[in-house]
Amino acid sequence: MILFNLGTDSLTLVGLKPEMQISSNFGGITVDVDNDGVEEVILSGNFYSSNVMNGPYTGSTGYLLGWKESGIWSKRGHEINLNLRGDRKSMSKIKGPEGVQFIVSARNDGKVTVHKLSLLGEELKFKKNEFLAEIEMKNGQKLRREAYYGSGYLSQDSRYLVLPKDWKKITFITFDKRERTIISRK
């Protein structure tokens, strides 16, 4: 199962497709792969140290999944040149130069792999006590992005925000409810 926050002050619980359940999923990060303001989820997994009777769970190459009104959609990692094979428990998204993001993933007792995401867009860094960014788009749509110090089971995102195109205003909010607002100059 996966919980989606669709911005309605509630969560939507959606069952994963059977092909996404052929192995365990442990690592997970969110990223807006098409810069449309809607974040997708990248998952990695597999589990080599299961019991002897069942054997290892090794069928995952990672997944990219998202939500549309018709339900959840997914693509396997090897289908989109994001091959996350092996016993993987963690992933991190890090910021590179000029709007490029990287996914760093480690295999248990194996090599660290780095995958480049060519996501060009403006970036803003969350300050130390800021945990939330409320984004107002030019079309009136409102988006929320949270920044964590640890975003999942052994997974971590860098504390920066890649802005969707056509943003109008961003308000960063701190734990003690102070706000910092940035207005687009475009």
Side-chain angles (χ1 to χ4, degrees):
M1 305 292 279
I2 189 164
L3 289 168
F4 282 96
N5 182 345
L6 302 177
T8 58
D9 290 332
S10 64
L11 300 173
T12 300
L13 184 65
V14 179
L16 295 177
K17 294 179 177 181
E19 61 268 20
M20 295 181 68
Q21 298 182 45
I22 60 175
S23 189
S24 304
N25 292 299
F26 291 101
I29 58 172
T30 59
V31 62
D32 183 2
V33 296
D34 51 9
N35 203 20
D36 66 351
V38 179
E39 290 183 311
E40 289 77 31
V41 178
I42 297 175
L43 298 173
S44 69
N46 293 323
F47 189 53
Y48 286 16
S49 56
S50 59
N51 65 48
V52 174
M53 194 172 218
N54 292 329
Y57 302 104
T58 62
S60 177
T61 60
Y63 296 96
L64 171 66
L65 61 115
W67 172 264
K68 289 187 178 177
E69 300 220 0
S70 58
I72 194 171
W73 60 266
S74 65
K75 294 185 180 180
R76 294 192 63 196
H78 68 279
E79 297 172 340
I80 57 169
N81 201 26
L82 184 67
N83 195 339
L84 298 171
R85 292 186 191 278
D87 190 356
R88 294 176 189 268
K89 303 291 189 285
S90 63
M91 275 195 295
S92 293
K93 182 175 63 179
I94 61 172
K95 175 184 170 289
E98 300 175 13
V100 177
Q101 295 181 53
F102 296 93
I103 295 173
V104 180
S105 178
R107 290 177 63 164
N108 189 24
D109 293 333
K111 296 179 180 179
V112 172
T113 57
V114 178
H115 300 274
K116 179 180 176 183
L117 296 173
S118 299
L119 302 174
L120 300 176
E122 296 177 77
E123 301 170 349
L124 291 173
K125 185 173 172 70
F126 282 88
K127 292 187 177 177
K128 183 179 178 181
N129 290 328
E130 294 172 336
F131 76 99
L132 178 65
E134 294 181 339
I135 305 166
E136 184 179 331
M137 305 293 287
K138 289 181 181 174
N139 67 3
Q141 180 184 11
K142 295 189 179 186
L143 309 171
R144 294 169 59 105
R145 298 289 187 265
E146 296 178 8
Y148 306 102
Y149 290 103
S151 56
Y153 177 76
L154 298 178
S155 295
Q156 174 66 47
D157 282 351
S158 297
R159 291 179 41 84
Y160 67 94
L161 178 66
V162 176
L163 301 175
K165 57 186 173 194
D166 297 328
W167 68 276
K168 178 180 174 183
K169 177 174 88 169
I170 299 173
T171 302
F172 288 96
I173 301 171
T174 65
F175 292 111
D176 59 355
K177 309 241 189 279
R178 284 186 269 164
E179 296 182 355
R180 173 175 62 113
T181 300
I182 300 171
I183 308 286
S184 175
R185 295 183 180 150
K186 294 181 184 178

